Amino acid sequence: MIKKNKTWFFGLHADPPKMFRVILAILPFVILIGVYLVASDIRHRENPQDKLLPTIAKIGKALKKVAFTEDKRTGDYLLWTDTISSLKRIVTGILLSACVGFVLGLNMGLLPGIRGLSLTFITFIANIPPLAILPILFISFGVGELGKVMLIFLGTFPLIARDIHLAVKKIPREMIVKALTLGASQFGVIYRVVYPQVLPRLIDTVRLSLGSAWLFLIASEAIAAQSGLGYRIFLVRRYLSMDVIILYVGWITFLASIADFMLRKWIAVRYPWYNP
Amino acid sequence: MKSEVQSSIQQHQPSSINHLLFVEDVVKVYGDKVVLADIDLAVTKGEFCTLVGPSGCGKSTLLRLILGQESPTSGRMTVEGKEILHPSPERGIVYQKYSLFPHLTILENIMLGKQLPLPFWKGISVRKEAREEAMHYLESVRLAEHAEKYPHQLSGGMQQRVAIAQALIMRPKILLMDEPFGALDPGTREAMQVLILKLWEEHGMTIFFVTHDLEEGVFLGTRILVISQHYTDERNHEGDAGRGSKIVADYPLKTTSTRVKETAEFGRLIQRIRCDGFDPEHLQDVTQFNLEHSDSFQSL
């Protein structure tokens, strides 16, 4: 019998068995929920009307109210209309910055002229804290949809452009020369060699930019909106409706995780060579 | 009768008309560092020309110049009389790495040369024929069963075989190879050497092969060029003081068999080349280089 001196958890050589890995992954969630339940229970024993840490039952009731009953004032199912307006804004904003960032990044990476023109400027723009110019955006683009989309766009596109620029520059010169010896035109080099190699990187960059996109979305909705996930959270804050806030935060987190997962799957299925 | 004599004289006179590749008075300077000093070179069609030299002597620089990836500081380079300006399909290249496109399957990598020169819509309509031709080349490097894989799924040796097929499908006038087997283990390397010799014979190619491995150079080539910065001339008798490399030796090689590596003659030639180009202690004057190959010439 060979003596195994591998641990399950501690040390550099730890080798957790498969089931144990699953347990490890779930554990922090269980602890979080457990701590919440205990804390909520303690507070409710002292004061049954406690609003700060609502019980699961209260959150369930809030869910029923916002997701499955018509709002008395508007006749809408609030959670769904909020979700749709927020998703519209964030998808429009991120698509816009993905397109602009991709085209700009490709051009900056390939054409020394365009690079000379825009690299310093983009680097400068990227340093503007987007939230600091939120008032300017609202004044110039209005407090409607355009202002919010512009905030998401301006907050995310410099990073995407710079990242694509780096990805293009990382393509070895040899590969471009090789394509030319295979009879490629300049356009062929861009279309058949550079563009398809950078595409999965764009998806990856968008995936990472979504985090800040959510931040800008919630911030702009908090300040001026008629609907939206961020709007609702900041509206019910006035009544200390922690049940709705917690529900909405959980929902946003869920949406963001789904988006992240789907983008990662997309890359893995469609571009198997990207992360070998 | 007279014209026949003239033409035979002409053939021995190196020129851009009689030789496939013709390089005259080529100098390459980076900043204030001279890398190549006055390279003269003529290569006949069908030659397997290997280029060796100590590290940092500018072997790869010369190859990049012939490729058109860089342009010479001064001098003239032609392929079949036409000046080399940019990389083009008539000069194929196999690098040590980065020859394959990671986002395409093996088959697509080889097909690419059939599709890239055409406009996008025509590239699609020739897809079927391109596929068949690519398969044929893939079979000739014995990788047909890996057609649908991506480059990262193949070993280094397999990747280089694909890279060779990818270059071959273009039927280049001259195939340039920059240390193509440098990263392979000895066994794979030997198999690749045999393969490239076989393909060279079958396709009647002209190959210009850069290597740092002297044995490989002597084994593969029908002609070996040695470039080195270790020589003396009228300006300097102290050795390499940033004057740039020259072709210091140029030997014709006998057609080889795989057992040639064991012969004494093979060893003696390697010793001689090592002395010619690689030994900083042993300096020859520019007027005394061993330029034995019939195509070699020197414009001093």
Side-chain angles (χ1 to χ4, degrees):
Chain A
M1 180 97 182
I2 304 160
K3 187 176 173 278
K4 279 195 212 165
N5 53 0
K6 278 186 177 168
T7 63
W8 278 19
F9 188 73
F10 291 103
L12 283 172
H13 304 291
D15 184 21
K18 208 169 177 195
M19 268 311 290
F20 187 60
R21 278 169 208 260
V22 177
I23 295 171
L24 276 182
I26 296 172
L27 195 63
F29 291 95
V30 175
I31 293 174
L32 177 71
I33 294 171
V35 167
Y36 180 86
L37 288 179
V38 171
S40 168
D41 191 56
I42 292 170
R43 288 188 68 97
H44 275 81
R45 269 186 213 166
E46 284 170 15
N47 172 17
Q49 301 304 313
D50 180 67
K51 296 205 102 178
L52 194 64
L53 298 174
T55 56
I56 297 292
K58 276 188 187 169
I59 295 175
K61 229 193 263 174
L63 174 67
K64 203 178 158 203
K65 193 178 141 229
V66 295
F68 304 111
T69 14
E70 282 181 27
D71 183 48
K72 276 182 228 115
R73 197 166 56 80
T74 55
D76 290 332
Y77 295 93
L78 289 181
L79 181 63
W80 310 123
T81 42
D82 285 341
T83 304
I84 288 167
S85 2
S86 283
L87 284 184
K88 260 189 210 159
R89 289 166 193 148
I90 196 167
V91 168
T92 319
I94 204 82
L95 276 185
L96 192 65
S97 69
C99 294
V100 173
F102 191 55
V103 171
L104 203 61
L106 269 184
N107 280 297
M108 280 179 3
L110 288 166
L111 310 171
I114 303 289
R115 175 160 63 240
L117 186 68
S118 51
L119 185 59
T120 317
F121 187 64
I122 299 266
T123 313
F124 177 75
I125 293 280
N127 282 312
I128 300 174
L131 286 176
I133 55 162
L134 184 58
I136 305 177
L137 294 178
F138 275 178
I139 292 163
S140 40
F141 297 107
V143 292
E145 300 301 305
L146 189 59
K148 298 177 187 64
V149 169
M150 284 309 285
L151 178 69
I152 295 171
F153 168 68
L154 286 176
T156 52
F157 101 91
L159 189 96
I160 295 179
R162 287 167 74 190
D163 197 57
I164 296 297
H165 164 229
L166 288 181
V168 173
K169 277 187 64 177
K170 239 179 66 186
I171 293 176
R173 174 103 183 101
E174 283 88 347
M175 225 175 253
I176 311 277
V177 172
K178 176 88 205 192
L180 292 172
T181 68
L182 296 178
S185 60
Q186 289 200 23
F187 182 75
V189 169
I190 297 169
Y191 186 76
R192 294 297 307 268
V193 176
V194 177
Y195 157 81
Q197 281 193 61
V198 179
L199 206 57
R201 175 72 172 258
L202 174 71
I203 300 171
D204 224 13
T205 314
V206 164
R207 187 173 72 81
L208 297 175
S209 299
L210 270 177
S212 40
W214 279 104
L215 166 73
F216 300 132
L217 175 78
I218 308 282
S220 61
E221 286 180 342
I223 289 171
Q226 272 82 50
S227 64
L229 297 166
Y231 160 76
R232 194 68 55 198
I233 288 176
F234 279 79
L235 184 75
V236 300
R237 180 191 55 139
R238 296 177 201 162
Y239 319 118
L240 218 67
S241 300
M242 281 298 274
D243 47 355
V244 177
I245 295 179
I246 288 172
L247 182 68
Y248 267 62
V249 171
W251 177 237
I252 291 171
T253 313
F254 175 73
L255 288 178
S257 312
I258 288 285
D260 188 82
F261 175 79
M262 292 209 308
L263 290 176
R264 265 190 297 140
K265 268 281 160 238
W266 184 12
I267 295 176
V269 172
R270 186 72 186 72
Y271 308 100
W273 49 269
Y274 182 65
N275 283 320
Chain B
M1 183 67 195
K2 201 181 170 192
S3 70
E4 232 171 76
V5 173
Q6 257 181 356
S7 76
S8 78
I9 291 168
Q10 241 175 28
Q11 252 167 24
H12 286 285
Q13 190 69 40
S15 74
S16 59
I17 303 148
N18 296 329
H19 290 86
L20 177 72
L21 172 70
F22 189 73
V23 173
E24 195 175 21
D25 302 330
V26 160
V27 176
K28 182 66 185 175
V29 183
Y30 289 115
D32 55 0
K33 190 175 184 297
V34 185
V35 179
L36 298 174
D38 199 2
I39 300 283
D40 297 311
L41 171 66
V43 177
T44 315
K45 192 168 181 295
E47 196 96 66
F48 195 135
C49 193
T50 57
L51 178 66
V52 295
S55 56
C57 69
K59 300 185 291 284
S60 296
T61 305
L62 180 57
L63 182 116
R64 283 199 296 273
L65 291 177
I66 297 172
L67 184 59
Q69 184 175 342
E70 291 172 33
S71 46
T73 311
S74 68
R76 212 163 71 90
M77 321 183 78
T78 57
V79 166
E80 288 194 337
K82 274 185 297 176
E83 195 159 350
I84 296 170
L85 292 173
H86 298 293
S88 82
E90 66 189 19
R91 279 157 285 132
I93 175 78
V94 175
Y95 290 109
Q96 192 178 72
K97 49 181 189 174
Y98 303 129
S99 284
L100 299 181
F101 301 101
H103 64 292
L104 299 174
T105 64
I106 300 308
L107 191 63
E108 285 168 340
N109 259 292
I110 301 177
M111 283 162 66
L112 200 60
K114 288 277 128 186
Q115 297 181 299
L116 270 178
L118 303 168
F120 174 63
W121 58 94
K122 283 192 191 155
I124 290 173
S125 66
V126 299
R127 216 179 144 79
K128 194 158 172 279
E129 296 121 69
R131 243 186 124 76
E132 274 160 24
E133 197 175 341
M135 258 338 257
H136 170 73
Y137 278 92
L138 203 50
E139 273 157 24
S140 76
V141 293
R142 298 190 302 276
L143 283 173
E145 70 271 25
H146 299 289
E148 300 304 326
K149 287 187 182 164
Y150 284 97
H152 73 263
Q153 293 168 295
L154 265 54
S155 70
M158 288 169 159
Q159 288 188 15
Q160 287 311 77
R161 266 143 72 189
V162 178
I164 291 168
Q166 184 190 37
L168 279 185
I169 202 169
M170 300 304 289
R171 304 188 168 279
K173 293 198 173 114
I174 182 164
L175 179 61
L176 307 169
M177 305 183 91
D178 192 0
E179 308 215 4
F181 311 145
L184 306 178
D185 62 87
T188 316
R189 194 177 175 128
E190 217 151 286
M192 291 294 288
Q193 290 171 350
V194 174
L195 176 74
I196 191 69
L197 279 176
K198 185 175 148 262
L199 291 170
W200 169 69
E201 265 175 18
E202 277 175 14
H203 294 264
M205 288 190 289
T206 312
I207 296 182
F208 194 85
F209 190 104
V210 169
T211 176
H212 65 262
D213 182 347
L214 257 174
E215 239 176 64
E216 184 171 71
V218 175
F219 172 63
L220 285 177
T222 57
R223 174 182 182 183
I224 188 162
L225 295 160
V226 185
I227 72 169
S228 173
Q229 61 272 54
H230 309 309
Y231 62 88
T232 60
D233 61 9
E234 75 279 3
R235 290 171 296 173
N236 192 327
H237 295 275
E238 296 302 312
D240 48 325
R243 296 162 307 170
S245 300
K246 275 177 180 297
I247 295 176
V248 299
D250 184 351
Y251 300 110
L253 299 168
K254 289 188 194 80
T255 328
T256 50
S257 84
T258 41
R259 298 189 56 80
V260 75
K261 285 187 188 179
E262 291 150 30
T263 65
E265 200 191 342
F266 186 78
R268 271 201 299 278
L269 186 54
I270 286 176
Q271 276 314 312
R272 199 165 150 202
I273 291 170
R274 192 160 280 145
C275 186
D276 284 338
F278 291 75
D279 184 2
E281 303 294 307
H282 177 91
L283 301 173
Q284 292 170 289
D285 193 74
V286 274
T287 50
Q288 281 149 16
F289 291 157
N290 294 314
L291 304 176
E292 290 173 13
H293 195 280
S294 58
D295 283 339
S296 69
F297 68 107
Q298 204 179 13
S299 54
L300 286 171

